[in-house]
Amino acid sequence: MELLPCVARMRWTRPFSAAGTAGGKFLDRAACVAGALVFSQAPEFMQQYLQRLGGHLDEARRQLQQFQAVATQSGLTLDELIAKTSGNADAAVARLGGVMHAAAERADSLYSAETALRTASLWERPFVFLRHLDPGIARATWSVFKPAVPTTMEGLVYAAIGVAVALLLVHVLCVWPCRAVLRRRRRHKRVVDGTAGAVER
């Protein structure tokens, strides 16, 4: 007679256990899809960022060429023109020297960033991208960013990494804590059932 409540309880809880298993599988699959979609867009974003970076570099070079032309016409190098202009007693002329100096530094910075990104390997590129990230260019890229289906090896690699990261997060943040709670409840129930059985005897 004592087995009947136990059997009944097992029959009632079996659907919930099956539902939990199905829910866990669905959560894993959803996480895999989401992780693959999100991470696979990283190479596309970096590519669109690189294109916009190249445009900024072209514009910086064009401006620098204008300053270089003025220096050549004055019989000076660009560095000499910048130094002479910056040291001028006229504040307006001195500020122009600062503008030329900033333009030269900007062109050098953009060139270094573009070269580093274009020559970086698949595994190095995310770190190179973050190291040379220009917030203004990144915001402009994001404002017009168009997601794309990955068709390159790089996109597939990022998608695979996204699947792994998403599964890890789901298990660390959801699955493992829930299992730990269920194990504690089962241990507590066994202790209570054992205590009740000892009292009845």
Side-chain angles (χ1 to χ4, degrees):
M1 295 297 292
E2 293 180 359
L3 293 176
L4 292 177
C6 181
V7 172
R9 189 160 52 245
M10 289 176 61
R11 288 175 178 173
W12 277 103
T13 57
R14 190 174 300 161
F16 294 102
S17 177
T21 301
K25 290 181 179 179
F26 173 79
L27 187 62
D28 283 349
R29 290 170 183 171
C32 288
V33 172
L37 287 176
V38 171
F39 273 68
S40 65
Q41 297 310 307
E44 182 62 26
F45 180 81
M46 285 188 284
Q47 181 61 32
Q48 293 183 27
Y49 174 89
L50 185 58
Q51 293 174 353
R52 187 170 288 269
L53 176 65
H56 280 265
L57 177 58
D58 290 340
E59 179 60 27
R61 283 173 169 170
R62 186 189 67 80
Q63 185 181 26
L64 205 58
Q65 285 172 356
Q66 292 177 334
F67 294 142
Q68 182 65 61
V70 172
T72 301
Q73 292 170 3
S74 303
L76 302 170
T77 65
L78 181 59
D79 289 338
E80 289 172 344
L81 178 62
I82 292 174
K84 187 174 182 178
T85 307
S86 299
N88 196 286
D90 190 325
V93 177
R95 282 195 292 271
L96 179 59
V99 170
M100 289 190 290
H101 179 71
E105 287 191 338
R106 175 69 171 166
D108 288 341
S109 176
L110 292 173
Y111 174 74
S112 297
E114 188 198 40
T115 302
L117 275 172
R118 289 192 183 280
T119 58
S121 67
L122 186 152
W123 305 109
E124 295 173 336
R125 185 164 297 176
F127 305 103
V128 173
F129 173 76
L130 293 175
R131 186 164 62 249
H132 293 277
L133 181 67
D134 184 300
I137 298 177
R139 284 193 297 268
T141 304
W142 178 253
S143 67
V144 295
F145 175 68
K146 296 180 180 179
V149 177
T151 57
T152 63
M153 179 58 66
E154 185 177 10
L156 295 176
V157 169
Y158 275 83
I161 294 174
V163 169
V165 171
L167 284 176
L168 179 62
L169 288 176
V170 165
H171 281 260
V172 170
L173 299 178
C174 184
V175 176
W176 293 341
C178 289
R179 287 178 179 174
V181 170
L182 289 174
R183 282 196 297 268
R184 285 197 297 269
R185 287 184 176 179
R186 287 169 183 167
R187 284 197 298 267
H188 178 71
K189 189 177 182 305
R190 284 197 295 268
V191 171
V192 171
D193 290 345
T195 303
V199 172
E200 290 177 0
R201 288 195 293 271

